[in-house]
Amino acid sequence: MGKMPDTVSTHDNTGLLVLAVDDEAPGLSEIKFLLESSPHIRRVLTAFDAAEALRILRGDYEQEVMARTKAGLPPVDAVFADINMPGLSGMDLARVLSAFRYPPALVFVTGVEERDALVTAFDVGALDFINKPINEERVLKAISRVADRVGRTAAPANPSGQAAQNPAEPTDDEVIPVELGGTIKLVPRASVRYVEAQGDYARLHTQDGSHLVRIPLAQLEERWANAGFVRIHRSYLVALPLVSELRMTANGYAVVIGTGDGAKELPVSRRHTKELKERIVRPPKSGW
Protein backbone atom coordinates (compact mmCIF):
# COMPACT_ATOMS: atom_id res chain seq x y z
CA MET A 1 0.00 0.00 0.00
CA GLY A 2 1.30 3.49 -0.79
CA LYS A 3 1.53 6.13 1.87
CA MET A 4 -1.48 8.20 2.79
CA PRO A 5 -1.69 11.61 1.10
CA ASP A 6 -0.39 14.50 3.17
CA THR A 7 -3.03 16.54 4.95
CA VAL A 8 -3.21 20.15 3.79
CA SER A 9 -5.55 23.05 4.35
CA THR A 10 -8.77 22.98 2.32
CA HIS A 11 -9.63 26.65 2.81
CA ASP A 12 -8.35 27.57 -0.66
CA ASN A 13 -10.90 25.94 -2.96
CA THR A 14 -9.81 27.52 -6.25
CA GLY A 15 -8.41 25.19 -8.89
CA LEU A 16 -8.82 21.49 -9.53
CA LEU A 17 -8.46 18.66 -7.05
CA VAL A 18 -7.13 15.60 -8.93
CA LEU A 19 -6.00 12.08 -8.12
CA ALA A 20 -3.03 10.43 -9.88
CA VAL A 21 -2.82 6.62 -9.86
CA ASP A 22 0.24 4.61 -10.95
CA ASP A 23 1.82 1.50 -9.41
CA GLU A 24 5.33 2.62 -10.44
CA ALA A 25 6.87 5.29 -8.25
CA PRO A 26 8.81 7.08 -11.05
CA GLY A 27 5.69 7.29 -13.21
CA LEU A 28 3.58 8.54 -10.31
CA SER A 29 6.16 11.18 -9.41
CA GLU A 30 6.38 12.36 -13.01
CA ILE A 31 2.64 12.74 -13.57
CA LYS A 32 2.26 14.43 -10.16
CA PHE A 33 5.01 16.93 -11.01
CA LEU A 34 3.51 17.74 -14.42
CA LEU A 35 0.01 18.10 -12.99
CA GLU A 36 1.23 20.47 -10.29
CA SER A 37 2.94 22.61 -12.94
CA SER A 38 -0.47 23.63 -14.32
CA PRO A 39 -2.15 26.78 -12.96
CA HIS A 40 -5.48 24.92 -13.19
CA ILE A 41 -4.41 22.45 -10.51
CA ARG A 42 -4.82 23.26 -6.82
CA ARG A 43 -3.86 19.93 -5.33
CA VAL A 44 -2.78 16.44 -6.45
CA LEU A 45 -3.59 13.34 -4.41
CA THR A 46 -1.70 10.15 -5.24
CA ALA A 47 -2.32 6.40 -5.04
CA PHE A 48 -0.08 3.46 -5.91
CA ASP A 49 -2.92 1.19 -7.05
CA ALA A 50 -6.63 1.22 -7.83
CA ALA A 51 -7.61 -0.17 -4.43
CA GLU A 52 -5.91 2.71 -2.64
CA ALA A 53 -7.45 5.14 -5.13
CA LEU A 54 -10.94 3.88 -4.22
CA ARG A 55 -10.20 4.33 -0.51
CA ILE A 56 -9.19 7.93 -1.21
CA LEU A 57 -12.32 8.50 -3.31
CA ARG A 58 -14.49 7.14 -0.47
CA GLY A 59 -13.03 9.82 1.79
CA ASP A 60 -11.13 7.38 4.05
CA TYR A 61 -8.11 9.70 4.19
CA GLU A 62 -9.51 13.06 3.16
CA GLN A 63 -12.20 15.15 4.83
CA GLU A 64 -12.25 17.38 1.75
CA VAL A 65 -13.19 14.43 -0.46
CA MET A 66 -16.02 13.42 1.85
CA ALA A 67 -17.28 17.01 2.03
CA ARG A 68 -17.36 17.29 -1.76
CA THR A 69 -19.40 14.09 -2.04
CA LYS A 70 -21.91 15.28 0.55
CA ALA A 71 -22.25 18.55 -1.36
CA GLY A 72 -23.25 16.76 -4.58
CA LEU A 73 -19.83 17.04 -6.27
CA PRO A 74 -17.49 14.35 -7.58
CA PRO A 75 -15.03 13.27 -4.86
CA VAL A 76 -12.23 14.76 -6.99
CA ASP A 77 -12.42 16.72 -10.24
CA ALA A 78 -10.40 14.18 -12.22
CA VAL A 79 -8.54 10.88 -11.97
CA PHE A 80 -5.36 10.40 -14.01
CA ALA A 81 -4.88 6.61 -14.02
CA ASP A 82 -2.37 4.19 -15.50
CA ILE A 83 -4.10 1.33 -17.35
CA ASN A 84 -1.75 -1.57 -16.56
CA MET A 85 -1.68 -2.04 -12.78
CA PRO A 86 -1.62 -5.19 -10.62
CA GLY A 87 -4.88 -6.24 -9.01
CA LEU A 88 -7.54 -3.84 -10.23
CA SER A 89 -6.44 -2.37 -13.56
CA GLY A 90 -7.09 1.15 -14.76
CA MET A 91 -10.00 -0.21 -16.81
CA ASP A 92 -11.46 -1.85 -13.69
CA LEU A 93 -11.12 1.42 -11.81
CA ALA A 94 -12.85 3.24 -14.67
CA ARG A 95 -15.83 0.90 -14.51
CA VAL A 96 -16.18 1.55 -10.79
CA LEU A 97 -15.96 5.31 -11.34
CA SER A 98 -18.69 5.16 -13.98
CA ALA A 99 -21.06 3.81 -11.33
CA PHE A 100 -20.50 6.83 -9.04
CA ARG A 101 -23.49 9.13 -8.78
CA TYR A 102 -21.12 12.04 -9.48
CA PRO A 103 -18.17 10.52 -11.36
CA PRO A 104 -14.95 12.50 -11.76
CA ALA A 105 -13.43 13.07 -15.19
CA LEU A 106 -11.15 10.20 -16.20
CA VAL A 107 -7.86 10.52 -18.08
CA PHE A 108 -5.90 7.36 -18.94
CA VAL A 109 -2.10 7.36 -18.93
CA THR A 110 -1.00 4.49 -21.14
CA GLY A 111 2.09 2.78 -22.49
CA VAL A 112 2.71 1.82 -26.12
CA GLU A 113 1.80 -1.84 -25.54
CA GLU A 114 -1.60 -0.82 -24.14
CA ARG A 115 -2.77 1.45 -26.96
CA ASP A 116 -5.00 -1.20 -28.51
CA ALA A 117 -7.04 -1.09 -25.31
CA LEU A 118 -7.92 2.54 -26.00
CA VAL A 119 -10.10 1.57 -28.94
CA THR A 120 -12.57 0.02 -26.49
CA ALA A 121 -11.81 2.32 -23.53
CA PHE A 122 -14.43 4.77 -24.77
CA ASP A 123 -17.04 2.46 -23.29
CA VAL A 124 -15.85 3.27 -19.77
CA GLY A 125 -16.19 7.01 -20.27
CA ALA A 126 -12.59 8.24 -20.50
CA LEU A 127 -12.37 11.97 -21.21
CA ASP A 128 -8.83 11.91 -22.59
CA PHE A 129 -5.69 9.78 -23.03
CA ILE A 130 -1.99 10.53 -22.45
CA ASN A 131 0.58 8.23 -24.04
CA LYS A 132 3.87 7.31 -22.37
CA PRO A 133 6.53 8.62 -22.41
CA ILE A 134 4.56 11.50 -20.93
CA ASN A 135 4.73 14.80 -22.77
CA GLU A 136 4.25 17.97 -20.72
CA GLU A 137 2.28 19.71 -23.46
CA ARG A 138 -0.08 16.73 -23.73
CA VAL A 139 -0.65 16.70 -19.97
CA LEU A 140 -1.47 20.41 -19.96
CA LYS A 141 -3.92 19.89 -22.82
CA ALA A 142 -5.67 17.12 -20.89
CA ILE A 143 -5.86 19.37 -17.82
CA SER A 144 -7.43 22.14 -19.89
CA ARG A 145 -10.00 19.65 -21.16
CA VAL A 146 -10.80 18.64 -17.58
CA ALA A 147 -11.01 22.27 -16.48
CA ASP A 148 -13.40 23.04 -19.34
CA ARG A 149 -15.64 20.12 -18.40
CA VAL A 150 -15.63 20.98 -14.70
CA GLY A 151 -16.39 24.62 -15.43
CA ARG A 152 -19.52 23.66 -17.40
CA THR A 153 -20.79 20.69 -15.43
CA ALA A 154 -19.80 20.93 -11.78
CA ALA A 155 -22.83 21.51 -9.56
CA PRO A 156 -22.36 24.19 -6.86
CA ALA A 157 -22.31 23.07 -3.26
CA ASN A 158 -25.73 23.10 -1.61
CA PRO A 159 -25.69 25.40 1.44
CA SER A 160 -28.06 23.04 3.26
CA GLY A 161 -25.55 20.20 2.89
CA GLN A 162 -27.99 18.13 0.84
CA ALA A 163 -26.68 16.43 -2.27
CA ALA A 164 -27.70 17.88 -5.61
CA GLN A 165 -30.58 16.06 -7.26
CA ASN A 166 -29.25 15.79 -10.79
CA PRO A 167 -25.80 14.56 -11.84
CA ALA A 168 -23.82 16.54 -14.39
CA GLU A 169 -24.85 16.11 -18.00
CA PRO A 170 -22.38 14.75 -20.56
CA THR A 171 -20.38 17.46 -22.30
CA ASP A 172 -19.38 18.03 -25.91
CA ASP A 173 -15.66 17.69 -25.09
CA GLU A 174 -15.82 13.91 -24.86
CA VAL A 175 -13.36 12.20 -27.18
CA ILE A 176 -13.52 8.82 -28.91
CA PRO A 177 -10.28 6.87 -29.50
CA VAL A 178 -10.01 5.40 -32.98
CA GLU A 179 -7.18 3.34 -34.47
CA LEU A 180 -5.61 4.56 -37.70
CA GLY A 181 -2.64 2.68 -39.13
CA GLY A 182 -1.35 1.53 -35.75
CA THR A 183 -1.80 4.88 -34.02
CA ILE A 184 -4.62 6.19 -31.86
CA LYS A 185 -6.45 9.33 -32.93
CA LEU A 186 -8.80 11.12 -30.55
CA VAL A 187 -11.99 12.26 -32.29
CA PRO A 188 -14.02 14.92 -30.42
CA ARG A 189 -17.68 13.97 -30.17
CA ALA A 190 -18.55 17.54 -31.16
CA SER A 191 -17.02 16.87 -34.61
CA VAL A 192 -19.31 13.88 -35.31
CA ARG A 193 -22.14 14.71 -37.75
CA TYR A 194 -23.82 11.31 -37.82
CA VAL A 195 -23.12 7.69 -36.93
CA GLU A 196 -23.78 4.68 -39.15
CA ALA A 197 -24.33 1.15 -37.84
CA GLN A 198 -22.07 -1.54 -39.26
CA GLY A 199 -22.90 -4.75 -37.38
CA ASP A 200 -21.44 -4.63 -33.89
CA TYR A 201 -19.38 -1.63 -34.97
CA ALA A 202 -20.28 2.00 -35.62
CA ARG A 203 -18.81 4.39 -38.17
CA LEU A 204 -18.41 7.98 -37.00
CA HIS A 205 -18.81 10.47 -39.83
CA THR A 206 -17.13 13.85 -39.43
CA GLN A 207 -16.55 16.70 -41.88
CA ASP A 208 -13.07 15.32 -42.58
CA GLY A 209 -13.87 11.63 -43.02
CA SER A 210 -15.11 8.59 -41.13
CA HIS A 211 -13.80 6.34 -38.35
CA LEU A 212 -14.83 2.80 -37.34
CA VAL A 213 -15.15 2.06 -33.61
CA ARG A 214 -15.96 -1.17 -31.78
CA ILE A 215 -19.22 -0.10 -30.18
CA PRO A 216 -22.84 -0.86 -31.19
CA LEU A 217 -25.04 1.97 -32.44
CA ALA A 218 -27.62 1.26 -29.71
CA GLN A 219 -25.02 1.89 -27.04
CA LEU A 220 -24.02 5.20 -28.61
CA GLU A 221 -27.69 6.16 -28.86
CA GLU A 222 -28.11 5.76 -25.12
CA ARG A 223 -24.79 7.35 -24.20
CA TRP A 224 -25.17 10.41 -26.45
CA ALA A 225 -28.87 11.11 -25.97
CA ASN A 226 -28.21 14.12 -23.72
CA ALA A 227 -25.71 15.52 -26.22
CA GLY A 228 -28.31 16.01 -28.96
CA PHE A 229 -27.91 12.76 -30.93
CA VAL A 230 -31.15 11.09 -32.03
CA ARG A 231 -31.96 7.82 -33.79
CA ILE A 232 -33.63 8.38 -37.16
CA HIS A 233 -33.25 4.88 -38.59
CA ARG A 234 -32.05 1.46 -37.48
CA SER A 235 -28.79 2.33 -39.23
CA TYR A 236 -28.34 6.00 -38.36
CA LEU A 237 -27.84 8.28 -35.36
CA VAL A 238 -27.57 12.00 -36.14
CA ALA A 239 -26.50 15.18 -34.36
CA LEU A 240 -29.85 16.96 -34.28
CA PRO A 241 -28.39 20.51 -34.14
CA LEU A 242 -26.77 19.81 -37.53
CA VAL A 243 -30.04 18.82 -39.25
CA SER A 244 -30.75 21.55 -41.81
CA GLU A 245 -33.83 20.00 -43.48
CA LEU A 246 -36.53 17.38 -43.01
CA ARG A 247 -37.96 16.62 -46.43
CA MET A 248 -40.35 14.23 -48.16
CA THR A 249 -38.91 11.80 -50.71
CA ALA A 250 -40.38 9.06 -52.86
CA ASN A 251 -39.57 6.58 -50.09
CA GLY A 252 -40.73 8.67 -47.14
CA TYR A 253 -38.92 11.30 -45.04
CA ALA A 254 -35.24 12.11 -45.07
CA VAL A 255 -33.03 14.55 -43.17
CA VAL A 256 -30.24 16.68 -44.56
CA ILE A 257 -27.14 17.08 -42.41
CA GLY A 258 -25.23 20.29 -43.04
CA THR A 259 -25.45 22.61 -46.03
CA GLY A 260 -23.75 23.23 -49.35
CA ASP A 261 -21.38 20.75 -50.95
CA GLY A 262 -20.87 18.91 -47.67
CA ALA A 263 -24.58 18.23 -47.08
CA LYS A 264 -25.62 14.62 -46.58
CA GLU A 265 -29.13 13.17 -46.97
CA LEU A 266 -30.10 10.26 -44.71
CA PRO A 267 -33.34 8.25 -44.62
CA VAL A 268 -35.78 8.48 -41.70
CA SER A 269 -37.66 5.31 -40.89
CA ARG A 270 -41.42 5.48 -40.38
CA ARG A 271 -41.20 4.52 -36.70
CA HIS A 272 -38.86 7.45 -35.97
CA THR A 273 -40.61 10.11 -38.08
CA LYS A 274 -43.12 11.34 -35.49
CA GLU A 275 -40.58 11.67 -32.70
CA LEU A 276 -38.12 13.41 -35.00
CA LYS A 277 -40.72 15.97 -36.10
CA GLU A 278 -41.53 16.70 -32.45
CA ARG A 279 -37.86 17.12 -31.59
CA ILE A 280 -37.30 19.51 -34.48
CA VAL A 281 -40.40 21.61 -33.76
CA ARG A 282 -40.10 21.54 -29.96
CA PRO A 283 -36.49 20.75 -29.02
CA PRO A 284 -35.65 20.14 -25.35
CA LYS A 285 -34.75 23.21 -23.28
CA SER A 286 -31.54 21.65 -22.01
CA GLY A 287 -29.09 18.84 -22.67
CA TRP A 288 -27.65 20.12 -25.98
Side-chain angles (χ1 to χ4, degrees), residues 131-252:
N131 289 324
K132 295 180 180 180
I134 300 173
N135 177 281
E136 179 180 6
E137 182 179 352
R138 189 66 188 85
V139 172
L140 296 179
K141 182 177 180 180
I143 294 170
S144 294
R145 189 182 294 277
V146 171
D148 184 55
R149 170 177 169 174
V150 170
R152 289 187 286 124
T153 66
N158 190 322
S160 67
Q162 298 294 321
Q165 295 300 309
N166 296 312
E169 295 289 349
T171 63
D172 286 339
D173 55 9
E174 186 172 351
V175 295
I176 305 95
V178 298
E179 188 173 10
L180 292 172
T183 63
I184 299 296
K185 179 179 180 180
L186 302 180
V187 178
R189 182 177 62 190
S191 70
V192 177
R193 305 169 71 207
Y194 66 96
V195 186
E196 181 181 3
Q198 294 192 347
D200 291 333
Y201 289 69
R203 183 168 294 279
L204 311 177
H205 291 267
T206 68
Q207 193 69 43
D208 300 324
S210 67
H211 311 280
L212 194 65
V213 293
R214 290 198 296 259
I215 183 170
L217 190 67
Q219 190 170 336
L220 279 180
E221 178 185 8
E222 180 180 356
R223 186 182 180 94
W224 289 2
N226 289 331
F229 282 80
V230 297
R231 191 73 166 262
I232 63 167
H233 189 276
R234 61 186 176 86
S235 298
Y236 295 106
L237 185 69
V238 302
L240 192 58
L242 299 183
V243 172
S244 58
E245 292 182 30
L246 174 63
R247 61 170 62 153
M248 279 290 297
T249 70
N251 297 316

